[in-house]
Amino acid sequence: MTIPAYKNPTLPVPERIEDLLSRMTLKEKAGQLTQWFHLGPDHHDLIRKGELGSGLNANSSTAGNNPQERILAECLNDLQKVAVTESRLGIPLIFGRDVIHGYRTVAPIPLGMAAAWSPGMVQAANTIAAKEARADGIHWGFSPMLDIARDPRWGRVAEGFGEDPFLAGKLAAAAVRGFQGNEQDAIPQQFAVDRIVACAKHFVGYGAAEGGRDYNTTEITRHTLHNIYLATFKAAIQSGCGTVMSAFHDIGGIPLSAHSSLLTDVLKEQWGFDGFVVSDWGAVWELTNHGIAADGNHAAELACNAGVDMDMCGMMYLNSLPDLVQAGKVSEERLNDAVRRVLRIKFALGLFENPYADPNAAQVVHLQPESLATMRELAANSMVLLKNNGVLPLRSDNLTICLSGPLADRRKELFGCWAPDGQDEDVTTLKEAITGRLGAETRLHHYELADDAVKLARSSDVMILAIGESEGRSGEDNCTTTIDLPAGQEALVESARRMEIPIVAVVFGGRPLNLTRVMDWADAVLFAWHPGITGGLGVADVLFGDVNPSGRLPITFPRSSGQIPLYYNHRPTGRPLPGGSRRHSRYVDSLDSPLFPFGFGLSYTTFEYGNLQMSPTPQTPEISITAQVTNTGNRAGTTVAQCYVRDVIASVARPVRELKGFERVMLEPGETKTILFKLGPKELSYLDDNGHEVLEPGRFQVWVGGDSTAELGTEFEVTPDGKWVGSR
Ligand code: NOJ
């Protein structure tokens, strides 16, 4: 008996897809475009009829914020078996899950990962996550989350890489490569058996939700859309990201899950994206709530025609697309295009040949010592030292430590907002981590109740306060009206201050928090984000000096909620600061500067930048910028050298600074290294309202240093023939 062409692995995939497509009914096609959640035996019938193409392993739209059952390969295999052996065409299911920051080996939240400014570490963390997820039978991870966020009240700021499109774009590409394992900048023709397909989300502009309130409406100009919000997605697509998720919200009245000019014209046509677009959870149906679709039928028509290929957790496509095609409201060509895109990913994942997961794989692959070591290194390198008057690093011998604060001995609270596969018992708490490294004559007193701690603190040499917010206070649907610390925490630090012993505040959080008062009272402040499974160990590594902190803020820390939105790459005003008179763009009741600027972070050593030079790169329109950085302290340490640019005069006002290069530089005490940044047309141009690069001749400023306020700078000029002259 001859096998049908689509089942023949020796034939080229496009031929197999066309053969399969030619055999499918309209209903089966709509089935491939339908994803449902929390699948079990109740769904066997739907699968058997070929009316389900994908499963999402979660039981709520905020999957991951609720305790979940562990994923078991056996359960997924049962479902897959029905699809492969009992449905007419035997098309395998693709299983998706929110693999956002690690899997069983939970990584720091993405905002924390971003603080390490290390594409290599992000790629390594996502490689581990992919292997662990695939071992459980998961094929598709719903990340990276690429929403630039300028409002820390928005709970989902934790899930993204911060406020800067350049940094986030580099990390986006690294995250995609980590999941997919692609060596070329293209969707792999064939994924390795231990990799998963990535999903760039939420396309696009979701981080601009008004008031920092989740799912809220946005107003984004075309200029900002192209230069800020689309940029990270473009980076992910250019590195070969296989899928994209359309967002819940609207921009100026057009919900993103019906936005044909962004989904089709920009994403698919202008950028050539040939993977598939999945809606966010129920977002097709929600077009009725947005008031642009009369009913589910209409919603399916709008979403499919706009370019959404798969309906996540909705039955709109399954119920409506066959009739819509027959009525001529959705073309069969468009339906086929969507199905081809989905099938292409299933073929690339090898699901037709290897549909099942090995039920014994997880116990071998999960929580490997090397994986834990990688996550611990990432966690420690993500932490940002915000203040240190010399109390850190702590010595481990002959010390009495008083440890207190609500997060001192907590497990899942350190995970971060998306850790559906993390297990509480895998986490080392901060208390355990400190206990594990106490040297001779060192004692640790841990007081659950802050009052007791404060009373007894006098007999200690140092007090460590673990404060901030727990994982449940950030992430989806966890927005706040202020970025103040949770109730009582400032009072705790203030009363500890009165004990007149050194205070070290370790602050956990999924967003920038208002630390203005804590900065006054604490002797040292370490911002640890939600650091994941090895976070307690990572904090201890930093506190005791095994790791010299090198984290740098990927997002501005305001002085108060009232300053929001506050971001470093803002446009100039006509009345810029600093200004002499009162008639300038400023507040009368607050300083205007942030508490900590983008890119900021201290170290146990000090660095000095100097000797900025410019030279042409032969044969190219590129400029090479070099500078020297010296470790001027007495410990080895890593600085993150950052390069910022300003286009001084252009047809549109350009940001006061934009990051265009960065590099982690490790230096021994007294050592000097030369760092090099190359600036070419890509770095010096901006995008017009149609997304086309525009490089305008004229003056440019450039700075190199340790954060976005770097003062070491110079100027050059780009001439009308695209060459440059400098320096001034
Ligand atoms: C809704 C969230 O917005 C999205 O990020 C997530 O991937 C899906 N739910 C699936 O859980």
Side-chain angles (χ1 to χ4, degrees), residues 627-639:
Q628 287 184 325
V629 55
T630 303
N631 180 346
T632 49
N634 52 14
R635 272 179 175 264
T638 297
T639 180

Side-chain angles (χ1 to χ4, degrees), residues 311-325:
D311 180 9
M312 176 189 282
C313 302
M315 285 291 163
M316 256 49 63
Y317 275 21
L318 184 66
N319 294 337
S320 305
L321 282 183
D323 291 345
L324 288 167
V325 169

Side-chain angles (χ1 to χ4, degrees), residues 56 58 60-64 98 100 142 145 156 159 201-202 206 215 245 248 280-281 312-313 418 476:
L56 191 171
S60 76
S61 64
T62 53
D98 285 295
I100 313 287
F142 299 131
M145 194 275 224
R156 303 199 79 169
E159 290 178 54
K201 72 184 187 186
H202 308 82
Y206 185 33
Y215 318 119
M245 187 183 296
F248 287 125
D280 203 341
W281 186 300
M312 176 189 282
C313 302
W418 281 105
E476 186 175 353

